[in-house]
C-alpha cells in the first residue's frame, strides 16, 4: 500500500477515535492496527502538522488529529463536524472579545466552554452541543487566537482561555476554516517535506539536554538552507530572566541544572514542530519551519508560560523574555537579518518588563 494511503488510514483512524471517545490514540493501538507500515507515515503526519503528539515518551507517543487530518482523511461526516464546530467557536470568540473591549476594566477575563455555550444562544447559533464546543475550541487553538489557555490533564480540550486581537485577522476571511486548510494542504499532499529534510545532519535528541543542543553556527547554516529553498521559517530568541541570580546564590552546578530543566520544558512544548539551539550562555533560539509570525508568537507564548510554571530556578524566579521574527516580515533578508530581528525583539521584551513575548517589527516607543 503506498504511503499516502497508509497516511489517510491513520488520519481516519485517529479522527474517528477522537470524535467517538474524546481521547488520544496511543502508538500501541496504531501499531496493532497498521503493524509494520506505521512508523514512517506516522512520523510524516506529525512533521507535516496533521497529528499532534501529546506525550512523547519513547515508543509510547499518543496522538490527536489537527484540522488538516480531518480534511485529509476523506471522512465527510467528520470534516463537517470539525468545520461546523470550529466556525461556531470562532464566531463566539470574536463576539466575546468585542464585548471585552467595551468593558471599562483593563483586566481581560478568562473564558470557559460554559461561556461559549451561553453566547451561542445569544448569537442564535443552533445545533452545537457541548462536545462540539470542546472540539471547536481544540481546533481553534491552531488559529493562534488564544493568548493563554488551560487544558485538562490529557491536554485534549481547552478549559479556559483569553482571546487575542488576532481573532480579527482570522475572521476577516469569509470562510476562515477553508483558508486555514488551504494554507496547510500543500505539506500533506506531498509537495512539502518533513522537518528532517530541512536540517541536514541534525537529529533531535530523544532526551534533550543542554550539552546535546546544536550551536549558533549550526542555526545560521540551517536557516540559510531553509531560505535558499524559498521556504517559510520563523525564529525565536529566548533569554532567561534572573538566571544570574541562580549562579550567584546557588553556584554553577545548580545553574547548569536550571538550564537543563529549561531545555526540557522548551523541548516538551516544541515536540517535533521545531528545533532548539544553544544561542550562548543562558540564551536559546528556536527555528520553526513553515510558521507564520502569528503561529510562532503563539508557540513562544506557550514556552513562556510553560517555563514560568515549571519554576526551573526552584526558589529563584526564572522566566523568559522571547523575541519572534519570520521571513514573511523581513522580505528577502538573510539568516543573519532574521536572527538580528528576533534578537532585537527579545531585547524589547527585556526592556518592557521581562517575562513576555515581542514580535518583529518592534514598535518604537
Amino acid at each position: 500500500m503506498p504511503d499516502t494511503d497508509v497516511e489517510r488510514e491513520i488520519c481516519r483512524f485517529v479522527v474517528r477515535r477522537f470524535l467517538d471517545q474524546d481521547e488520544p490514540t496511543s502508538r500501541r493501538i496504531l501499531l496493532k492496527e497498521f503493524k509494520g507500515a506505521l512508523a514512517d507515515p506516522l512520523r510524516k503526519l506529525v512533521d507535516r502538522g496533521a497529528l499532534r503528539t501529546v506525550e512523547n515518551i519513547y515508543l509510547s507517543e499518543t496522538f490527536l488529529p489537527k484540522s488538516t487530518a480531518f480534511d485529509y482523511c476523506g471522512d465527510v461526516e467528520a470534516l463537517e463536524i470539525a468545520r461546523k464546530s470550529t466556525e461556531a467557536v470562532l464566531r463566539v470568540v470574536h463576539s466575546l472579545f468585542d464585548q471585552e473591549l467595551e468593558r471599562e476594566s483593563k483586566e481581560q477575563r478568562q473564558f470557559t466552554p460554559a461561556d461559549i455555550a451561553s453566547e451561542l444562544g445569544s448569537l442564535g447559533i443552533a445545533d452545537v452541543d457541548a462536545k462540539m464546543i470542546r472540539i471547536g475550541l481544540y481546533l481553534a487553538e491552531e488559529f493562534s487566537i488564544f493568548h493563554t489557555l488551560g487544558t485538562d490533564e490529557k491536554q485534549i480540550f481547552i478549559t479556559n482561555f483569553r482571546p487575542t486581537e488576532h481573532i480579527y485577522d482570522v475572521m476577516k476571511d469569509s470562510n476562515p476554516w477553508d483558508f486555514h486548510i488551504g494554507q496547510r494542504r500543500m505539506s500533506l499532499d506531498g509537495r512539502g517535506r518533513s522537518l528532517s529534510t530541512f536540517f541536514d545532519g541534525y537529529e533531535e535528541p530523544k532526551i534533550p539536554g543542554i550539552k546535546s543542543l546544536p550551536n549558533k553556527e549550526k542555526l545560521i547554516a540551517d536557516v540559510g538552507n531553509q531560505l535558499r529553498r524559498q521556504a517559510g521559517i520563523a525564529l525565536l530568541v529566548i533569554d532567561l530572566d534572573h538566571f544570574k541570580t541562580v549562579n550567584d546564590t546557588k553556584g554553577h552546578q545548580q545553574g547548569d541544572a536550571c538550564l537543563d530543566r529549561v531545555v526540557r520544558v522548551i523541548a516538551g512544548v516544541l515536540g517535533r514542530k521545531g528545533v532548539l539551539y544553544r544561542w550562548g550562555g543562558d540564551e536559546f533560539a528556536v527555528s520553526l519551519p513553515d510558521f507564520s509570525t502569528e503561529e510562532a508568537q503563539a508557540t513562544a507564548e506557550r514556552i513562556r508560560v510553560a517555563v514560568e510554571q515549571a519554576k526551573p530556578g526552584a526558589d529563584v524566579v526564572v522566566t523568559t523574555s522571547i523575541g519572534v521574527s519570520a521571513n514573511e516580515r523581513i522580505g528577502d533578508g538573510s539568516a543573519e537579518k532574521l536572527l538580528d530581528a528576533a534578537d532585537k525583539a527579545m531585547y524589547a521584551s527585556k526592556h518592557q518588563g521581562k517575562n513576555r513575548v515581542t514580535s518583529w517589527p518592534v514598535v518604537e516607543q
Side-chain angles (χ1 to χ4, degrees):
M1 182 183 292
D3 276 358
T4 52
D5 291 341
V6 175
E7 290 169 13
R8 288 181 190 277
E9 286 300 319
I10 292 171
C11 281
R12 187 175 295 116
F13 184 89
V14 175
V15 162
R16 293 310 318 182
R17 185 173 177 84
F18 177 70
L19 291 177
D20 295 341
Q21 301 185 32
D22 292 349
E23 65 181 35
T25 299
S26 71
R27 184 184 180 93
R28 178 180 55 80
I29 293 174
L30 285 168
L31 280 169
K32 184 176 180 180
E33 179 77 10
F34 298 101
K35 300 188 171 107
L38 175 70
D40 188 52
L42 184 58
R43 169 77 185 244
K44 289 179 180 177
L45 287 169
V46 174
D47 286 349
R48 293 173 181 177
L51 300 182
R52 171 186 171 198
T53 305
V54 179
E55 297 174 343
N56 200 13
I57 304 168
Y58 184 62
L59 290 183
S60 62
E61 297 100 329
T62 57
F63 303 95
L64 286 167
K66 296 181 74 174
S67 58
T68 41
F70 283 84
D71 180 61
Y72 189 62
C73 76
D75 188 322
V76 176
E77 180 183 356
L79 177 60
E80 183 57 28
I81 291 173
R83 183 199 301 271
K84 182 176 181 180
S85 302
T86 307
E87 290 180 349
V89 164
L90 289 173
R91 283 185 59 190
V92 170
V93 171
H94 188 235
S95 174
L96 291 174
F97 189 66
D98 279 342
Q99 294 172 36
E100 279 297 288
L101 294 180
E102 294 173 359
R103 294 172 68 235
E104 293 184 2
S105 173
K106 295 181 180 179
E107 181 78 19
Q108 185 188 356
R109 71 186 182 97
Q110 292 191 345
F111 296 99
T112 67
D115 296 312
I116 294 282
S118 176
E119 187 67 12
L120 281 168
S122 301
L123 295 176
I125 301 174
D127 301 325
V128 178
D129 58 24
K131 183 172 182 177
M132 291 177 69
I133 292 172
R134 282 150 50 93
I135 291 169
L137 279 168
Y138 168 75
L139 294 173
E141 184 184 353
E142 293 179 41
F143 289 75
S144 304
I145 61 170
F146 301 125
H147 177 61
T148 59
L149 53 88
T151 54
D152 64 10
E153 292 181 359
K154 289 187 177 181
Q155 299 181 1
I156 300 174
F157 294 111
I158 293 172
T159 58
N160 59 292
F161 63 91
R162 288 178 183 153
T164 70
E165 289 189 6
H166 184 55
I167 186 65
Y168 290 126
D169 292 328
V170 170
M171 296 303 289
K172 70 184 179 183
D173 297 302
S174 59
N175 195 324
W177 174 274
D178 284 347
F179 181 76
H180 175 74
I181 289 294
Q183 286 186 313
R184 286 154 179 76
R185 264 313 287 245
M186 189 167 71
S187 64
L188 279 174
D189 286 339
R191 295 189 293 272
R193 284 169 286 189
S194 67
L195 284 176
S196 60
T197 65
F198 294 140
F199 306 109
D200 301 329
Y202 172 66
E203 293 182 4
E204 185 178 4
K206 289 184 176 66
I207 303 176
I210 195 164
K211 293 180 180 178
S212 65
L213 296 181
N215 59 21
K216 183 176 180 179
E217 288 71 26
K218 178 62 174 165
L219 168 63
I220 293 173
D222 288 344
V223 174
N225 288 338
Q226 180 78 345
L227 293 174
R228 280 191 291 275
R229 295 185 177 107
Q230 296 184 337
I233 190 167
L235 298 178
L236 313 180
V237 170
I238 305 169
D239 184 83
L240 300 190
D241 306 320
H242 316 297
F243 175 73
K244 186 176 183 298
T245 305
V246 178
N247 271 339
D248 291 347
T249 61
K250 297 179 177 294
H252 290 286
Q253 186 174 358
Q254 286 301 312
D256 290 343
C258 175
L259 290 176
D260 261 326
R261 286 192 285 271
V262 170
V263 167
R264 290 172 185 270
V265 170
I266 295 174
V269 174
L270 291 176
R272 291 173 177 160
K273 293 183 292 187
V275 179
L276 177 62
Y277 301 79
R278 180 79 178 275
W279 180 267
D282 58 345
E283 284 189 305
F284 303 91
V286 172
S287 55
L288 296 165
D290 297 322
F291 269 54
S292 66
T293 298
E294 288 76 17
E295 291 169 325
Q297 181 161 348
T299 298
E301 179 63 22
R302 292 188 191 104
I303 290 172
R304 185 197 67 76
V305 172
V307 172
E308 183 179 26
Q309 293 177 344
K311 296 179 170 50
D315 55 335
V316 177
V317 176
V318 174
T319 57
T320 54
S321 293
I322 306 177
V324 180
S325 67
N327 62 340
E328 70 192 42
R329 293 188 182 175
I330 305 297
D332 297 326
S334 63
E336 288 80 5
K337 288 183 179 178
L338 197 60
L339 288 163
D340 183 61
D343 196 42
K344 288 178 179 176
M346 181 274 290
Y347 276 107
S349 291
K350 285 282 190 188
H351 295 153
Q352 292 168 13
K354 303 179 180 178
N355 192 25
R356 65 187 61 212
V357 176
T358 303
S359 292
W360 180 265
V362 178
V363 178
E364 298 292 342
Q365 299 297 324

